Amino acid sequence: MNDEETTGSVNFIQAAVMDDIESGRFDKRVQTRFPPEPNGYLHIGHVKAIAIDHGVAAEFGGEFNLRFDDTNPEKEEQEYVDGQIADMQWLGFEPANIYYASDYFDQLYEWAVELIWQGKAYVDDLSADEMREYRGTLTAPGRNSPYRDRSVEENLDLFARMKAGEFPDGARVLRAKIDMSSGNLNLRDPAMYRIRHAEHQKTGNKWCIYPMYDWAHGQSDSIEGVTHSLCSLEYEDHRPLYDWYLDQLEIYHPRQIEFARLFITHTVLSKRVLIRLVNDGLVEGWDDPRMPTVVGMRRRGVPATAIRAFIDRVGVSKTNSTADIALLDHYIRQELNLTAPRVMGVLDPLKVVITNYPQDRVEMLEAVNNPEDENAGTRQIPFSRELYIDRDDFQETPHRKFYRLAPGAEVRLRYGYFITCTDVVKDASGEIVELHCTYDPETKGGYAPDGRRVKGTIHWLSVAHALTAEVRMYDRLFAAEDPGSYDDFREALNPDSLVIIANAKVEPSLADAEAETVVQFERKGYFCVDSKDSRPGALVFNQTIGLRDSWAKIQGKG
RNA sequence: UGGGGGAUCGUCUAAUGGCAGGACACCGGCCUUUGGAGCCGUGAAUCGGGGUUCGAGUCCCUGUCCCCCAGCCA
């Protein structure tokens, strides 16, 4: 349940939509769209936009569509189109229709011709550098291009020849004729078309001129009948241009409303940086579990419901803000605590011999699959004379608040027996290689009939039955809280964002675990069966997130 | 006097002239066969200065600070 539901409060976008419904501005219709450029994979920042677009449509009984803003063939690829569609599906934000701006190229061309006829668009021969110079600066007005006053006939002819492929890339552009002295630089005769002899993933080689974002976007919204064109804050000063095109053409006119983009601590959502992380091999790919992409989070084991809950909580406003990554972590734990089956996993195995337990005996002990979900049932786990425990669950000279195994100390093996450490076996270099313990046969299941209690409960695995697995311990990709403030983002990286444990041990019940299954290794954290590299017999787990660790806090205080 | 936008606990938000509330984080306690989960509790905010009003986070004036814009990217 989110704030909107509990408090009845509405954000400024919902308020605007309600106003429009009341006034009948769009015949009480609501239609939104998510317009990504297919030049990369979707990240959690996109999810916020999708959630808003989808949410507004759903809340008011409207329609939500996906439209690819595929106007720049040099950057876009079919792989990203497919990937983005799959991501939205996985997130549970299904669009009613999938559209492409490139489907409107013919109509856009006709409208451009119309603008030329109206004397509101012209072909400019200025080079890109010259155009920049003529544009002026933030504080100084620009100057008119010497080609600004070409005749309609000449413009028509030149534009047709641009389309026909008579000119090389960059030779000319079609520009809107607005106002070179406007305080809003977007209105200083913005480019509408540029020449690019490039193959488009959808239209092939049909076109060698491609529309600019501003020229394509509003008109695409108009064609589709979008009512509320929701976008991020940096488009606020594009709105006058969005409106201008629609007004000149006198076509159906949607309303653009802007909201603040999502920023998250220890995270980079800049497309430029994400692409570099991938291309420079700093991560394994777009689906590296450390990436803030949908495919990355999915591979890490983050549930879609957790992402959506996080986005919900962050809210919608016009204030630039940076959400704490801990909030996302919270929702991941909250969801997984309820749903992830518990299992025992030993990350750094230390052998324990129960000296008073019979050599060849094996007992099956009952373990609860999920204490948060009684329907999850129980399972049997094997117990025997030789066990593994995690190395950090033993201290030879224990900290005063260390409630685990130590020489002479008694602890409970989860769902097993009470054991007491009697001997510490070391190798020549002094490293502990084995522990000898005795168990109390009366404490089977973990309860002492005499009512005595132990302070600690630790997890364990039977040596003979444990499966070996690779466990990839993922931590945040960026150590810096605000990686975006670094000149070189590489300096903000966390050198320990991935630590591979090759020889971890897990319960035999995991032998046939399917890809993307997320389990909790008790007392450790949540782990996801890797969808790319895990095989039966060669399991690979990705750490989704650790459990909250109050022992780490105690240690930190000394 | 280029244009556009924004300022509420540490963080993200709520309030629509009427007790500044919640979540996360933090700290403390209880409980515990996960040092998990859960439960209880503490601390913590209206950018500054004026004004209107019985009453201002909200309205008015003024100042300050922050963000975005000079692609033939989106």
Side-chain angles (χ1 to χ4, degrees), chain A residues 47 83-95 293-308 516 518:
Chain A
V47 181
Q84 293 183 0
I85 291 171
D87 287 348
M88 288 180 61
Q89 233 154 33
W90 179 75
L91 285 165
F93 293 118
E94 205 83 34
T293 51
V294 174
V295 279
M297 292 187 290
R298 177 179 180 176
R299 190 172 170 198
R300 182 152 67 95
V302 177
T305 46
I307 299 173
R308 292 176 59 156
E516 295 195 342
V518 181

Side-chain angles (χ1 to χ4, degrees), chain A residues 61 94 120 176 244 412 454:
Chain A
E94 205 83 34
K120 289 168 183 162
W244 189 87
R412 170 169 39 231
V454 289

